[in-house]
Amino acid sequence: MKKLNHIPEFAIIGHPNEGKSSVLSTLAEDDSVRVSPIPGETVTCQNFPVMVDGREIIRFVDTPGFQNPRKTLQWMQGYQGEDEQMIASFIEAHAGDPAFRDDCELLGPVAEGAGVIFVVDGSRPVRNMDRAEMEILRLSGAPRMAVINSKGEDSAYLAQWQSEFRKHFNAIRVFNSSRATYIQRIELLENLKSIDQQWEPALRDVVEAFKTDWQARSEQSVDILLAFIGEALAYRKTVPCAKENQQAVCRQMWQEYQELIAHKEHRAHKAIRSLFKHNIFNIDLPEHSILEKDLFSKATWEFLGLTDKQIILAGAMSGAALGAGLDVAAAGISFGVFSTLGGLVGAAGTAFKGKKWLSGIKLLGMHIGGEQLRIGPVTNSQLLYILLDRSLLFYGHIINWSHGRRDYDAGKKEIAEDTKKEGVTAYWNKGERKIAERFFRVASAGNGWASSEAAQGMRGLLLRQMQQIAEGNR
Ligand SMILES: Nc1nc2c(ncn2[C@@H]2O[C@H](COP(=O)(O)OP(=O)(O)OP(=O)(O)O)[C@@H](O)[C@H]2O)c(=O)[nH]1
Ligand SMILES: [Mg+2]
């Protein structure tokens, strides 16, 4: 047996179309791996190094499926030479023979000392061909693990596969390459340690590096989120404005604020997505979810906990628009509530006696009065909760979308069906809310919040949330 004194390398081997490339894609977190429903997609070996901090820590090799396993096994059973040379001799003896092209290709890394991850589709029964493939791998003497990748929901053959595998492999895992979470990925890697004692120290280092890297990504995610949310809360702008222009300027400022928040949120989520190495999968959050709602829609405002009075105040602006003879829709001072506030608008007009409402409106920190218009800082902490909920839900979807999964449309539909209205912050206890409120006060007060104790507290809280999300507890 070869001692491992270099980067651990695993060839992902199996029959065509069983999900080898998909397993590799998930394990290596690489969504560029070619996965296809047509058997024979992978025709040459391809290395997929896993880098942590610019250092290669483990390498997976994608290989084509076995082409002629029965005859390959026959040759190996009749082989008379040294055990260690068997695979290399087989390749040498069949080089250039088109009947063994894929077999030679896929055994190449094994001849070079790679470990083997043998992938089967557990939703079908074991066939003799599989037995031949397993026997080839056993004869190769390579450290090896079997992975039952259930492409279908069917687990009827699981026991059959497991008992068959016990004869041929050092370790066996059930692993769904389309659904595997971060935790399941780590578990599989942990399990690789047991395939060979001599490989154990190197593989222990790999698992440690994976865990450290994951922790670093979570910390970076928290920093990205807090930077964005802190900015959103601290935002303030004052512009001089003659009374007769207030409607238009006010509208414009709102528009700017909404666009700014939406843009910053989008940018923050995009940064988190690329931290978790997603280039293709991109969530379109479902419409009925709080995630997809326009941040400033009426539903969101209700969610934000604005009182009826505050909503009337918002509506009152359209009352003024009406007073000035403008059509509400055309005035377009859309707080996202106007169209549904028809009745209230009139009420507001009466309740606030003409234009009195113009002094001292405070809505998410918006002040209108005198010759100045000011927007921000936000005065309603519910905005913090909604931004957190959206971001944490996004985080949950991103970290648990396995890179080997390719049915993007079906997946998005599942997300849409799964998303509840409540975000995680709805479950926060008093202590957790206190941390959030403290952060809100400091962040909305403006500069310097980033290095504050309150921000530290919030960082810790978010990290714990993310950990729980990764563990499937939120
Ligand atoms: N539902 C589901 N489909 C899967 C899973 N793994 C693979 N598939 C699908 O099975 C088909 C084959 O997957 P690949 O990963 O390309 O299989 P392969 O073994 O690399 O195939 P070749 O390269 O052709 O030998 C693709 O259509 C995948 O989307 C899985 O865990 N669940
Ligand atoms: Mg493939």
Side-chain angles (χ1 to χ4, degrees):
M1 185 80 49
K2 283 175 193 166
K3 188 166 179 197
L4 188 74
N5 50 13
H6 49 80
I7 295 159
E9 178 175 309
F10 284 90
I12 317 285
I13 288 180
H15 210 67
N17 210 39
E18 299 280 287
K20 299 181 293 299
S21 298
S22 172
V23 166
L24 182 144
S25 177
T26 293
L27 283 181
E29 290 187 300
D30 188 330
D31 55 11
S32 73
V33 180
R34 288 176 70 99
V35 171
S36 149
I38 302 154
E41 175 64 29
T42 310
V43 290
T44 53
C45 288
Q46 199 184 340
N47 284 345
F48 290 89
V50 177
M51 313 291 289
V52 170
D53 282 339
R55 181 172 67 95
E56 184 178 355
I57 57 162
I58 190 170
R59 188 182 307 146
F60 297 104
V61 189
D62 199 12
T63 70
F66 278 102
Q67 183 180 355
N68 212 336
R70 285 204 188 87
K71 289 208 170 123
T72 301
L73 177 61
Q74 256 175 24
W75 185 94
M76 288 179 180
Q77 283 167 336
Y79 173 72
Q80 301 285 325
E82 293 218 0
D83 282 355
E84 296 240 329
Q85 290 305 311
M86 185 188 73
I87 299 289
S89 306
F90 170 83
I91 295 171
E92 205 180 299
H94 297 86
D97 182 345
F100 293 91
R101 193 201 58 207
D102 293 347
D103 307 287
C104 289
E105 177 74 15
L106 76 94
L107 288 171
V110 182
E112 300 288 315
V116 169
I117 295 177
F118 181 65
V119 175
V120 297
D121 174 4
S123 61
R124 63 165 181 82
V126 184
R127 298 173 302 213
N128 277 336
M129 187 118 68
D130 305 306
R131 295 192 181 93
E133 292 170 6
M134 291 183 224
E135 188 58 11
I136 291 167
L137 296 175
R138 193 183 66 81
L139 290 175
S140 79
R144 57 203 179 277
M145 170 191 268
V147 166
I148 306 169
N149 177 45
S150 283
K151 287 205 316 194
E153 296 301 305
D154 200 348
S155 57
Y157 304 106
L158 211 60
Q160 192 192 5
W161 277 111
Q162 277 164 330
S163 85
E164 201 71 46
F165 279 160
R166 275 185 207 111
K167 302 176 211 159
H168 297 91
F169 291 91
N170 319 85
I172 305 164
R173 291 300 293 181
V174 177
F175 182 77
N176 186 332
S177 63
S178 273
R179 297 288 186 282
T181 59
Y182 155 71
I183 299 282
Q184 288 161 341
R185 202 160 53 84
I186 288 281
E187 278 170 358
L188 192 149
L189 291 167
E190 294 255 19
N191 223 255
L192 273 179
K193 288 193 295 201
S194 65
I195 66 170
D196 190 294
Q197 211 173 358
Q198 290 188 320
W199 284 35
E200 199 180 322
L203 288 170
R204 199 181 307 124
D205 290 348
V206 169
V207 171
E208 269 321 298
F210 263 98
K211 287 184 176 169
T212 311
D213 181 47
W214 189 270
Q215 181 66 19
R217 284 190 224 172
S218 303
E219 283 169 20
Q220 280 171 275
S221 301
V222 169
D223 286 343
I224 290 167
L225 285 188
L226 286 189
F228 142 61
I229 293 174
E231 259 187 86
L233 299 182
Y235 181 88
R236 63 197 72 201
K237 189 173 176 184
T238 307
V239 291
C241 177
K243 276 195 175 158
E244 55 275 22
N245 295 333
Q246 277 176 344
Q247 299 276 335
V249 178
C250 177
R251 183 178 67 200
Q252 192 194 335
M253 284 169 84
W254 251 118
Q255 191 64 31
E256 271 175 24
Y257 183 66
Q258 292 180 47
E259 281 169 12
L260 188 87
I261 303 293
H263 173 71
K264 284 189 185 298
E265 182 183 60
H266 182 73
R267 229 180 37 191
H269 289 186
K270 213 170 134 193
I272 290 173
R273 175 173 162 254
S274 63
L275 266 183
F276 289 90
K277 306 183 186 179
H278 279 294
N279 302 303
I280 302 171
F281 170 60
N282 202 4
I283 312 175
D284 297 321
L285 290 161
E287 247 180 61
H288 67 265
S289 125
I290 195 66
L291 293 158
E292 182 63 4
K293 286 228 162 71
D294 177 356
L295 197 48
F296 298 95
S297 69
K298 178 169 186 277
T300 301
W301 280 29
E302 281 169 355
F303 186 91
L304 284 170
L306 291 188
T307 61
D308 279 354
K309 193 177 164 201
Q310 284 171 305
I311 294 179
I312 290 173
L313 281 168
M317 290 201 186
S318 74
L322 285 174
L326 294 168
D327 174 64
V328 176
I333 312 169
S334 173
F335 290 81
V337 291
F338 277 178
S339 53
T340 45
L341 273 178
L344 289 175
V345 167
T350 329
F352 295 96
K353 298 213 173 69
K355 292 194 176 179
K356 257 200 187 147
W357 61 272
L358 269 175
S359 56
I361 279 190
K362 284 192 180 175
L363 191 69
L364 290 176
M366 188 164 204
H367 297 250
I368 302 162
E371 299 292 308
Q372 281 198 328
L373 283 180
R374 187 180 114 208
I375 185 167
V378 172
T379 55
N380 189 323
S381 64
Q382 289 299 318
L383 183 65
L384 168 63
Y385 293 107
I386 197 168
L387 293 178
L388 286 171
D389 280 338
R390 289 163 66 99
S391 295
L392 289 172
L393 277 162
F394 178 86
Y395 174 83
H397 291 315
I398 278 293
I399 63 161
N400 284 326
W401 183 276
S402 47
H403 290 73
R405 184 171 184 184
R406 297 303 155 87
D407 53 342
Y408 303 111
D409 290 342
K412 285 177 188 177
K413 210 165 151 242
E414 271 168 39
I415 288 174
E417 280 159 11
D418 276 1
T419 308
K420 298 192 194 75
K421 193 180 171 190
E422 279 128 2
V424 289
T425 66
Y427 300 94
W428 282 4
N429 60 31
K430 257 192 182 157
E432 288 166 328
R433 288 197 164 259
K434 222 170 144 185
I435 293 172
E437 291 294 335
R438 222 173 130 214
F439 171 73
F440 175 78
R441 281 195 300 277
V442 175
S444 57
N447 292 336
W449 62 267
S451 54
S452 67
E453 240 177 75
Q456 281 311 327
M458 197 65 211
R459 267 193 192 97
L461 173 58
L462 284 185
L463 267 177
R464 289 193 294 280
Q465 293 297 303
M466 286 179 175
Q467 174 132 13
Q468 285 176 353
I469 290 169
E471 286 166 1
N473 294 331
R474 284 280 175 171

